[in-house]
Amino acid sequence: MIMSFFKQGFSSASPRPCQLCRPSSIDKLLFKTTRVNCSIQLPYRPFSTSRKFRPNLYTYKPRNHLTIALRRQHRDSSPKTYFQKPEQPRWQPSQASAGSLVVISIVGACVGVFLWNGQLQAEARQKATREARKKATDFYEQFVMTSRSLEPGRYYTLISSAFMHRDIMHLGLCMLGLFTIGRNIVVRSGVPSFIVLYFGSAVAGGVAQVRFWETNSSPYMVNHGVGSSGAISGLFAAMACAMPLSRIYLFFIPMPMVAAAVLEVGVSIGGMQGRWLQNWGHADHLGGMAFGAFWWLLAMRRGAPLGRLFRPKF
C-alpha cells in the first residue's frame, strides 16, 4: 500500500505541459507588451566563435575597382577593432547613369546648335543687313560638311556636321534614334566604347560621303550635308551585330534588327545609284554602318581583341 501511495502521489505530482493563456484586459492595461530585438546583443559576445554570432560589418561590396583599392588602403593603414562600425559608403554614380548623362549631353548639344542656328537665320531675315547675313552664313559653314571637308583646315567639319540638322523633323528622328540606341550601347559596352563608336562612325561616314561626292561630281547633285545619321547608323549596325534577333519598330513595323540593317543597306545602295532619295547622304549611312560592324568585331563581341580595355565595370 505504501508503494502504491507513493506511485499515485508521484503520478499526480508529475509536471504537466505549460499551456499558453491569453492575457486579461487588466493585464493589457497594466503591462505593455514590447518586442525585444536580440540582434543588438550580437556584437557584445566576444567569446563566441560561431558564425551566426559574428556581426557582418562589411555588407557593402563595391564593384568599382577604384573604390575597392581605396577601402583596402584605408583598412590597412588605420587600426580598427573587430566590432568597430564601418564607414558609411560614399555614393558613386553607376556606369549606366553616367552613360545616360553622356547621351543626353550629345542630344542637348545638337538641340542647342539647331536653336542657335535658327536664331541667327531669323535675325538675318529680320534685320536684312550684310553683317547679320554674314554672321549666320559663317556659323552655318562651321557645321556643314562639303566636298572640301578633307582639305587642310576643314577636317573638323566631319564631326561638327553631326551636331547640325536641317529641320525639326530631321532633328527629332535623329535624336530619337540616338537616345534609344545609344543608351543600350552604353549599358552593353560602356561609355568609352560608345564615344569611340559614335564619333568614329561620324568620321567614317563623312569620309565616305566626301569621297562619293568627289568621284560622282554632278551639277544636279547636292554636295553638302548635315546631320548625325551616319553616327546613328554606326550605333544601329553595332547593335544589330550584337543582338540580331532583337525586335525593332521601323516606321511602326516590327522586324528583327538584322532585317532592318539589311533593308537600310539596300536603300542606301539604291540611293547612291540615283534611284530614289538623291538628297540623302547614303554614303554617309553606309560608312557609319561599316565602322559600327568593324567596332563590334574589334571591341564589343565576346573575345574581342580590345574587349578588356572597353569592358564596362558595373
Side-chain angles (χ1 to χ4, degrees):
M1 294 178 63
I2 296 175
M3 295 301 295
S4 61
F5 171 77
F6 278 108
K7 288 181 180 180
Q8 293 178 1
F10 281 115
S11 62
S12 62
S14 59
R16 297 180 180 178
C18 181
Q19 298 181 358
L20 297 177
C21 58
R22 296 182 179 180
S24 61
S25 58
I26 299 177
D27 295 337
K28 292 181 180 180
L29 293 175
L30 295 179
F31 305 102
K32 185 179 180 181
T33 57
T34 57
R35 296 182 179 180
V36 179
N37 187 7
C38 298
S39 61
I40 303 177
Q41 302 177 3
L42 295 181
Y44 300 100
R45 297 182 179 179
F47 300 103
S48 178
T49 58
S50 177
R51 290 183 60 87
K52 68 178 182 180
F53 293 118
R54 295 181 184 178
N56 188 9
L57 300 181
Y58 298 96
T59 56
Y60 172 70
K61 297 180 180 179
R63 298 183 180 180
N64 190 358
H65 66 283
L66 181 59
T67 307
I68 295 174
L70 291 176
R71 287 177 64 90
R72 186 182 296 111
Q73 181 181 1
H74 179 70
R75 185 177 65 248
D76 297 340
S77 60
S78 60
K80 290 186 176 181
T81 60
Y82 182 76
F83 297 107
Q84 183 178 356
K85 293 184 179 180
E87 298 178 356
Q88 294 294 333
R90 297 180 180 179
W91 181 84
Q92 293 185 357
S94 62
Q95 189 85 354
S97 60
S100 299
L101 181 61
V102 171
V103 174
I104 293 174
S105 300
I106 297 177
V107 172
C110 294
V111 174
V113 171
F114 178 78
L115 294 178
W116 186 252
N117 179 60
Q119 179 67 22
L120 293 179
Q121 296 293 337
E123 291 180 0
R125 289 192 299 267
Q126 292 178 0
K127 297 181 180 179
T129 59
R130 182 177 300 178
E131 296 180 357
R133 293 176 181 176
K134 185 176 183 302
K135 186 177 180 180
T137 304
D138 293 343
F139 180 81
Y140 183 77
E141 288 181 354
Q142 303 302 321
F143 291 91
V144 64
M145 181 177 58
T146 62
S147 57
R148 299 185 297 107
S149 295
L150 295 182
E151 297 179 1
R154 297 288 297 177
Y155 296 123
Y156 65 91
T157 56
L158 297 175
I159 296 179
S160 62
S161 61
F163 294 92
M164 178 68 73
H165 294 82
R166 185 175 61 253
D167 50 16
I168 190 66
M169 182 66 69
H170 188 204
L171 176 66
L173 292 177
C174 289
M175 295 303 101
L176 180 62
L178 173 60
F179 187 74
T180 54
I181 303 177
R183 293 188 304 167
N184 295 328
I185 292 290
V186 168
V187 172
R188 184 176 182 87
S189 60
V191 176
S193 179
F194 166 77
I195 293 176
V196 174
L197 176 60
Y198 183 80
F199 291 104
S201 299
V203 173
V207 171
Q209 187 64 44
V210 171
R211 292 302 184 188
F212 177 75
W213 286 334
E214 292 177 354
T215 56
N216 299 274
S217 59
S218 173
Y220 302 100
M221 182 181 297
V222 178
N223 58 353
H224 64 274
V226 292
S228 58
S229 57
I232 298 172
S233 297
L235 298 179
F236 176 69
M239 183 62 66
C241 293
M243 297 183 295
L245 300 181
S246 298
R247 180 178 297 181
I248 186 174
Y249 289 87
L250 186 63
F251 296 105
F252 305 101
I253 301 176
M255 64 180 65
M257 296 194 69
V258 61
V262 172
L263 181 62
E264 184 178 358
V265 171
V267 171
S268 298
I269 292 176
M272 292 175 64
Q273 295 175 356
R275 297 182 179 180
W276 48 67
L277 302 175
Q278 299 183 8
N279 294 330
W280 287 25
H282 299 287
D284 188 13
H285 299 170
L286 289 179
M289 293 185 69
F291 184 85
F294 173 74
W295 185 252
W296 174 78
L297 290 172
L298 194 64
M300 292 180 60
R301 65 183 178 88
R302 182 178 299 178
L306 300 180
R308 293 185 177 181
L309 295 177
F310 294 93
R311 183 178 301 170
K313 299 179 175 59
F314 60 89

